[in-house]
Amino acid sequence: MSRVDQFQKDGYLVIDGFNSAEDCDALMQRAMWLAERYDYKGHPSIFETGNQTMSADDYFLNSGDEIAYFFEKDAFDPKGQLKKGLFESLNKIGHAMHDLDPVYDRFSRSPQMRKLAAELGMSEYLVIQSMHIFKHARIGGEVDVHQDSTFLYTEPNTCVGFWFALEDATIENGCMWATPGGHKTPLRSWFRRKEAAGLEMHVLDSSPWEMHGMQPLEVKKGACIVLHGALPHYSQPNTSGKSRQAFAIHTIDPAAHYPERNWLRRETQSLRPL
Ligand code: FE2
């Protein structure tokens, strides 16, 4: 079966050995380099998929055009001080490093990435978002079941994610889980800006998640998982002693309508393709 057919059938594709170990290491080193230069002033933005209406701070809302830093919710003591070092406390960095940082730009638009995009008929697709996800040992939180198109909503739905394992992802350290064919179920919600201020999870379809078919997508360092925007997926907390770093980019078809009310806005950067 061709990759295109497999992707259309399952809603995801697992490609082993997509990036070299050296490229994965270089990206993890770059994240550490960026974090060392982050001028943290004690006003954290915490990232929780289960509680995103609470993330309506300007730092989050403006992060579409920035290199911004988000903490694990368990990183703080009752007084609001970081319990560990800054790097070990980070949940992720996002959401425009693929356009603002040369190392992330190269990784996001690698020769193999362009080849894959062409194979999937996505050469024109724009990279609208990127994030470096740390999932640090013992603190890396769960990511609730969601569909990426909820956060990168287009009409029609065109969002496709590329998730790159920078380290081995196992059940123990919180690999991704998904159901083959799950993308054929409706888009449940649209995470958008309210008419006035703030954010809301607008329900489009109230069908419950079907959890029984969820399979762990355990992959080695260097693998790429392509994710259809309508595919429900999640990951469990990292209770192991090993981190599970990953880098993800999300793409959309420039021909699709991208509503103004989407949470993520790209105002100062012109979008570029893969
Ligand atoms: Fe996701």
Side-chain angles (χ1 to χ4, degrees):
M1 192 183 287
S2 74
R3 275 184 178 160
V4 177
D5 291 345
Q6 189 82 48
F7 182 59
Q8 275 163 7
K9 176 173 163 281
D10 292 340
Y12 65 85
L13 273 179
V14 177
I15 306 170
D16 293 320
F18 189 76
N19 290 304
S20 68
E22 292 72 29
D23 287 346
C24 294
D25 291 343
L27 215 65
M28 291 192 287
Q29 280 161 19
R30 189 64 171 182
M32 196 176 275
W33 185 89
L34 285 171
E36 281 165 5
R37 279 149 190 81
Y38 170 38
D39 186 18
Y40 174 57
K41 296 203 171 62
H43 296 287
S45 205
I46 294 167
F47 186 77
E48 283 183 80
T49 45
N51 195 19
Q52 270 176 343
T53 48
M54 299 301 287
S55 319
D57 56 279
D58 287 346
Y59 187 77
F60 175 72
L61 283 172
N62 295 330
S63 64
D65 274 332
E66 306 282 347
I67 297 176
Y69 300 80
F70 300 92
F71 292 95
E72 292 288 351
K73 67 175 176 1
D74 295 331
F76 298 91
D77 67 19
K79 289 180 179 163
Q81 302 296 313
L82 285 178
K83 292 191 276 192
K84 290 186 176 183
L86 185 136
F87 183 70
E88 289 74 33
S89 307
L90 288 174
N91 170 288
K92 69 174 183 179
I93 306 178
H95 291 99
M97 54 259 245
H98 62 288
D99 284 331
L100 300 175
D101 183 273
V103 177
Y104 282 96
D105 182 10
R106 277 199 298 278
F107 192 98
S108 304
R109 298 177 172 95
S110 63
Q112 64 269 32
M113 194 58 233
R114 288 171 194 229
K115 192 163 163 255
L116 175 60
E119 195 179 333
L120 297 175
M122 297 175 52
S123 294
E124 308 297 316
Y125 273 45
L126 302 169
V127 189
I128 192 157
Q129 170 185 277
S130 56
M131 47 195 169
H132 189 119
I133 306 150
F134 293 101
K135 204 95 168 183
H136 284 304
R138 295 190 185 87
I139 190 171
E142 66 185 337
V143 177
D144 294 338
V145 185
H146 67 280
Q147 296 160 297
D148 290 342
S149 292
T150 288
F151 303 98
L152 295 161
Y153 179 82
T154 63
E155 294 166 348
N157 174 21
T158 60
C159 170
V160 175
F162 296 84
W163 186 97
F164 308 103
L166 304 177
E167 298 181 291
D168 294 352
T170 63
I171 292 174
E172 291 71 34
N173 72 0
C175 70
M176 202 182 309
W177 292 67
T179 305
H183 64 305
K184 290 172 182 160
T185 64
L187 183 63
R188 309 305 201 280
S189 54
W190 174 17
F191 185 62
R192 65 185 188 184
R193 293 173 190 244
K194 288 185 190 167
E195 298 273 3
L199 293 162
E200 64 183 3
M201 195 60 90
H202 175 65
V203 176
L204 300 169
D205 186 295
S206 56
S207 319
W209 302 118
E210 290 162 23
M211 301 301 290
H212 59 273
M214 289 280 187
Q215 297 179 7
L217 306 183
E218 292 191 291
V219 291
K220 292 281 182 206
K221 173 176 187 163
C224 168
I225 302 179
V226 188
L227 289 168
H228 189 286
L231 182 79
H233 59 285
Y234 74 100
S235 67
Q236 294 176 342
N238 183 356
T239 53
S240 80
K242 285 185 177 171
S243 63
R244 194 229 67 185
Q245 293 196 44
F247 176 61
I249 59 174
H250 285 91
T251 63
I252 56 166
D253 185 340
H257 173 58
Y258 189 84
E260 273 277 297
R261 289 185 66 182
N262 277 350
W263 86 266
L264 183 123
R265 283 184 182 160
R266 300 294 307 269
E267 284 167 359
T268 59
Q269 302 294 318
S270 56
L271 291 172
R272 289 192 290 128
L274 284 159

